[in-house]
Amino acid sequence: MTDTDVMRRRQVKNTSVSLTELGFGASVLGNLYRVTPAEDAAGAVDAAWEGGIRYFDTAPHYGLGLSEKRLGAALRDRPSGEYVISSKVGRLLVPNEDPRGTDTDGFAVPDDLRRQWDFSRDGVLRSIESSLERTGLDRLDVVYLHDPDDHWRQAADEAMPALAELRDQGVIGAIGAGMNQSAMLARFLRETAADVVMLAGRYTLLDQSALDDVLPAAQEHGKSVVAVGVFNSGLLSRDRPADGMKYDYQDAPPDLVARARAIADVCTAHGTTLPAAAIAFPRTHPTVVNVTLGMRDRGQVTRNVALHRNTVSESLWDELRSKGLIR
């Protein structure tokens, strides 16, 4: 890997932060749904680096800190000026007074800690300090408010101003929020100091609802979007979608499977594949600076880097629109 092999970067508007077009989502390093062996986790980060990825995203929520620890260990000996790391605030990790043995929030880890919602100024500062301790790094480049769906007032009035202060002091490069819904993310872009939002699953080949709120808000206010969940929990991850695959964490309804297959047919006719198009599609919007994918091991990283490098022609989007398959 040489410097010329590092992926192209896109600037988070009005900040000093630039992200490689493909990012590494480290939720699975926290044993999401099942155990990720330590050697697989380290191999995944190594493969991402070798593939030219320089943006890595984690959070305290992911495996009760395990993701942050593993990602920090994997990046510690890399040149810090070359990569961008983001983490999140809003869930403090505190001692669990009533452990049952295993985390009940989707991660295969011991539950000696528990999550405590906290979007206060003090909670934000404590969370960042703890993240730096777990990663062993001296800086977080981007910090997002994590899933503030039920906490708008405190998140907007306390957490975001606290992050803005740290950004203005140069402690953090960029700030924002990450959620599965788009309506409140649009509010963060319009009404707060957020630079960037992490948009999960709402601007994909199967769901373009962010065209109604987040994307125009970002465009209007000169802000940026990171797209995640672009496979919609799996339905867009294979060349040929099958019955029984997941869509937004549920079994995909037959009409969506049929639509995904129709999109796949058009992709084939244009010399590409459904997952390659799924990765490329969000970046067709001028406000989207990065697509980040969760990757568990070296094989997944190698596949996704190859899909990202697959050239997708503009004519594909034109035909999908003309057939009413995307907006």
Side-chain angles (χ1 to χ4, degrees):
M1 171 61 56
T2 66
D3 286 343
T4 57
D5 295 318
V6 174
M7 286 178 188
R8 196 170 69 172
R9 296 177 187 255
R10 295 189 182 193
Q11 199 85 11
V12 176
K13 288 177 185 164
N14 300 309
T15 76
S16 60
V17 175
S18 62
L19 309 179
T20 46
E21 289 185 335
L22 193 65
F24 181 97
S27 60
V28 288
L29 300 195
N31 292 352
L32 180 64
Y33 303 134
R34 57 186 169 87
V35 171
T36 300
E39 57 271 24
D40 286 358
V45 178
D46 287 344
W49 193 272
E50 291 157 14
I53 293 172
R54 294 293 184 271
Y55 173 47
F56 301 86
D57 175 69
T58 183
H61 171 54
Y62 302 154
L64 294 168
L66 178 62
S67 171
E68 288 186 318
K69 289 175 184 174
R70 283 177 160 178
L71 185 59
L75 292 176
R76 209 161 294 153
D77 295 328
R78 313 275 187 192
S80 62
E82 287 190 23
Y83 63 81
V84 171
I85 185 169
S86 60
S87 193
K88 306 182 183 78
V89 298
R91 290 174 172 94
L92 284 176
L93 302 183
V94 300
N96 188 358
E97 306 84 357
D98 186 26
R100 302 295 170 90
T102 305
D103 179 47
T104 58
D105 224 333
F107 294 89
V109 294
D111 66 343
D112 50 330
L113 298 172
R114 64 177 176 84
R115 302 160 184 85
Q116 178 176 288
W117 290 106
D118 192 336
F119 288 95
S120 69
R121 174 188 168 80
D122 179 61
V124 165
L125 299 177
R126 285 171 56 197
S127 185
I128 291 173
E129 185 179 351
S130 296
S131 290
L132 291 173
E133 286 176 13
R134 283 188 292 269
T135 59
L137 304 175
D138 58 8
R139 175 183 172 85
L140 297 175
D141 301 288
V142 184
V143 177
Y144 300 101
L145 308 183
H146 201 180
D147 297 334
D149 303 66
D150 300 324
H151 307 272
W152 162 260
R153 187 46 58 205
Q154 190 179 47
D157 289 353
E158 296 184 48
M160 196 62 82
L163 291 181
E165 196 175 308
L166 294 173
R167 178 196 59 195
D168 296 345
Q169 292 168 357
V171 178
I172 297 168
I175 62 174
M179 306 170 74
N180 288 298
Q181 59 150 300
S182 58
M184 191 180 287
L185 285 182
R187 289 192 70 187
F188 277 109
L189 291 171
R190 290 193 179 102
E191 300 176 35
T192 78
D195 304 301
V196 57
V197 293
M198 182 169 270
L199 174 70
R202 304 286 75 87
Y203 192 58
T204 73
L205 285 174
L206 290 173
D207 182 340
Q208 293 102 54
S209 55
L211 284 169
D212 298 325
D213 42 38
V214 166
L215 299 176
Q219 208 154 13
E220 180 187 343
H221 293 274
K223 298 182 176 184
S224 299
V225 176
V226 167
V228 299
V230 300
F231 293 146
N232 284 123
S233 301
L235 186 54
L236 296 172
S237 65
R238 291 193 208 159
D239 293 5
R240 192 72 192 160
D243 292 332
M245 293 182 74
K246 298 293 184 189
Y247 175 81
D248 284 2
Y249 312 107
Q250 311 288 328
D251 289 338
D255 61 315
L256 268 182
V257 176
R259 191 160 141 237
R261 286 176 181 157
I263 294 171
D265 290 340
V266 180
C267 290
T268 301
H270 285 261
T272 189
T273 65
L274 182 64
I279 293 171
F281 173 71
R283 292 197 320 275
T284 62
H285 195 277
T287 66
V288 176
V289 294
N290 165 277
V291 170
T292 286
L293 304 173
M295 298 183 264
R296 195 179 291 272
D297 55 33
R298 179 175 284 275
Q300 288 186 3
V301 175
T302 302
R303 171 186 183 262
N304 287 331
V305 168
L307 289 170
H308 164 74
R309 295 191 185 278
N310 187 306
T311 302
V312 178
S313 70
E314 287 296 318
S315 60
L316 170 63
W317 316 127
D318 294 338
E319 183 168 348
L320 290 174
R321 286 190 186 100
S322 71
K323 289 189 168 180
L325 291 168
I326 62 173
R327 287 170 59 179

